[in-house]
Amino acid sequence: MLFFLHPKEEGMAIRQKGPRLGDYFLGHRRTKTTFLDEINELIDWQPINAFLCKKIRRKANAVGNPAYPPLAMFKILLLQRWYNLSDPGVEQALLDRLSFVRFTGFSIEDDVPDETTICRFRNGLIRLKVLDSLLDMLNRQLEGQGLLVREGAVVDASVVESQRRPRKVIDVMPEDRSEDAEEQDGPVDCRVSYSDDEEAAWLRKRNRAYYGYKLHAATDSRDGFLLCGHITPANHSDTGEFERLVNGVGLDPGARVYADKGYCSGKNRDILFDRDLEDGTMDKTPRGGRLTDFEKTRNRDISSIRQIVERAFGTLKRGYAFFRSRYVGREKVEGEFHILAMAFNLKKAVRLARA
């Protein structure tokens, strides 16, 4: 097997033209193991390849040339997030960097996908709504290796600003996690600004106005792997998204779900009770009353565990630039999150595997 085709990826080639002379010599060149090589050793790509081939039935492009291998294209999307590359940037990197060629399985003499092809592939996965399934497949592999342990989950939400700047600022907007909106499940009413990102919405948080979306996500409570998540307009209440997150974390009965006081409601506690899950939601101070000493201590204990999801959000925003979306529209922003979550989890898994 030549160096550029990983043993776990046999049968993936569609457009590759077979071994070349340059590949032979480079295959005998001494190379240092990279982070990307560790990913290839950690993950069995065959199930991912089979899933992608089943979902993506197109075997030729618009001009009749053979389509690029879907697994190689999927790996390109991960490379973009790990190295913060645009579509033109990753196209150029595939021509220049041997580690990228080795990771994706292309030959050094193969044509590489251009930026338009990469963009269309990503949009195709979003239209097919398969990115959440791919995240779950990778997570199951990490779980099978003992790297991801679903002993509990932590849910939270974070604002992601729109890629577009609104052309009109409004002066009336909802306050994030208002005490008066305790049982509010749907979006809070507000005026919408003029913008071509029509699905984004306004939100005021800590005396600052945001125009964009809200990420609702859950991590495991031990190491902070991202288990699931989805995107809503920014003015959607966190409380109303709790059930969808609980359904997506895949916990066994008896596991505990942690959440801050923004999720504190009778309805959400019933959701946990009906699924035989332990309630780790922080208590909210009743209007006109006070928390008991027990409730204060309990809140502190939950808060110390909840910081793991806040660290994950911090990494997504600082390390992967997800403080603002790269694309326009809720579905594309959600697809962006799922790709980021896979990149985030794989990088964390490699670090844990080294330990």
Side-chain angles (χ1 to χ4, degrees):
M1 185 63 60
L2 293 177
F3 84 95
F4 61 86
L5 188 58
H6 193 270
K8 296 180 181 178
E9 301 167 23
E10 295 180 22
M12 66 170 278
I14 296 177
R15 187 157 175 151
Q16 283 95 328
K17 301 175 183 177
R20 312 290 181 83
L21 187 61
D23 295 322
Y24 174 79
F25 287 112
L26 282 174
H28 289 76
R29 182 181 181 182
R30 292 178 60 188
T31 58
K32 188 175 181 179
T33 300
T34 68
F35 157 72
L36 299 178
D37 296 322
E38 292 179 277
I39 293 290
N40 269 340
E41 289 298 325
L42 184 68
I43 297 299
D44 179 3
W45 294 108
Q46 281 285 20
I48 306 297
N49 184 43
F51 177 80
L52 288 170
C53 289
K54 181 179 179 181
K55 294 295 182 180
I56 302 172
R57 300 183 179 276
R58 189 176 184 182
K59 301 302 180 184
N61 63 15
V63 295
N65 291 325
Y68 290 101
L71 180 59
M73 296 297 297
F74 173 65
K75 287 183 172 184
I76 289 173
L77 303 184
L78 295 175
L79 288 172
Q80 286 186 285
R81 302 289 70 87
W82 283 322
Y83 296 94
N84 195 24
L85 295 170
S86 63
D87 292 344
V90 76
E91 177 190 351
Q92 184 61 44
L94 286 166
L95 296 170
D96 295 339
R97 301 186 63 167
L98 293 179
S99 61
F100 282 25
V101 172
R102 208 162 52 236
F103 178 69
T104 55
F106 287 109
S107 164
I108 61 168
E109 297 181 37
D110 278 333
D111 294 331
V112 299
D114 60 24
E115 58 181 284
T116 303
T117 302
I118 295 168
C119 179
R120 287 175 177 170
F121 180 80
R122 181 177 53 249
N123 290 341
L125 292 185
I126 293 170
R127 283 195 301 272
L128 290 171
K129 302 183 186 301
V130 297
L131 288 169
D132 56 342
S133 298
L134 288 167
L135 172 62
D136 188 63
M137 290 177 70
L138 289 174
N139 282 349
R140 294 296 175 185
Q141 285 204 37
L142 300 180
E143 193 172 7
Q145 297 181 46
L147 297 170
L148 191 165
V149 180
R150 299 180 195 245
E151 60 187 22
V154 188
V155 304
D156 204 356
S158 184
V159 176
V160 179
E161 293 188 74
S162 171
Q163 200 269 342
R164 295 288 193 262
R165 294 291 188 181
R167 294 192 292 270
K168 179 181 179 182
V169 178
I170 61 175
D171 48 22
V172 177
M173 62 192 74
E175 183 79 20
D176 190 34
R177 302 191 180 184
S178 169
E179 295 291 330
D180 297 329
E182 180 177 345
E183 300 292 338
Q184 178 74 37
D185 286 347
V188 183
D189 239 358
C190 66
R191 280 184 243 168
V192 181
S193 73
Y194 299 114
S195 170
D196 61 349
D197 195 356
E198 297 178 354
E199 294 181 278
W202 280 103
L203 181 74
R204 184 181 297 279
K205 185 173 184 179
R206 299 190 185 97
N207 298 318
R208 181 182 169 187
Y210 295 88
Y211 183 73
Y213 298 91
K214 189 177 284 188
L215 165 63
H216 307 269
T219 68
D220 78 277
S221 59
R222 192 186 77 165
D223 296 303
F225 285 97
L226 287 161
L227 301 178
C228 65
H230 61 277
I231 298 290
T232 66
N235 62 347
H236 273 238
S237 166
D238 301 354
T239 307
E241 305 301 321
F242 185 76
E243 183 172 11
R244 184 174 173 184
L245 289 174
V246 170
N247 290 340
V249 292
L251 295 179
D252 292 329
R256 187 177 297 272
V257 177
Y258 299 90
D260 69 16
K261 65 180 181 180
Y263 295 91
C264 179
S265 72
K267 178 181 177 181
N268 286 344
R269 295 189 190 279
D270 289 341
I271 288 170
L272 296 176
F273 179 80
D274 292 341
R275 289 159 178 76
D276 197 19
L277 296 171
E278 294 295 322
D279 183 5
T281 308
M282 294 175 67
D283 293 300
K284 183 182 291 185
T285 305
R287 189 174 290 109
R290 299 174 60 185
L291 293 177
T292 65
D293 290 340
F294 172 78
E295 289 171 332
K296 290 178 181 178
T297 301
R298 180 176 180 274
N299 279 359
R300 283 194 296 270
D301 292 340
I302 293 173
S303 182
S304 66
I305 297 171
R306 275 195 61 260
Q307 48 82 28
I308 201 164
V309 71
E310 294 170 353
R311 288 209 308 265
F313 286 162
T315 300
L316 289 180
K317 293 190 175 188
R318 292 190 300 271
Y320 294 87
F322 199 45
F323 59 90
R324 176 174 292 123
S325 62
R326 292 175 174 84
Y327 312 110
V328 174
R330 190 200 62 79
E331 283 193 351
K332 289 187 177 180
V333 178
E334 187 165 289
E336 180 184 4
F337 162 71
H338 285 129
I339 296 170
L340 284 171
M342 287 183 274
F344 174 91
N345 286 357
L346 289 173
K347 195 167 188 177
K348 180 184 286 290
V350 164
R351 289 174 177 171
L352 288 176
R354 290 173 184 165

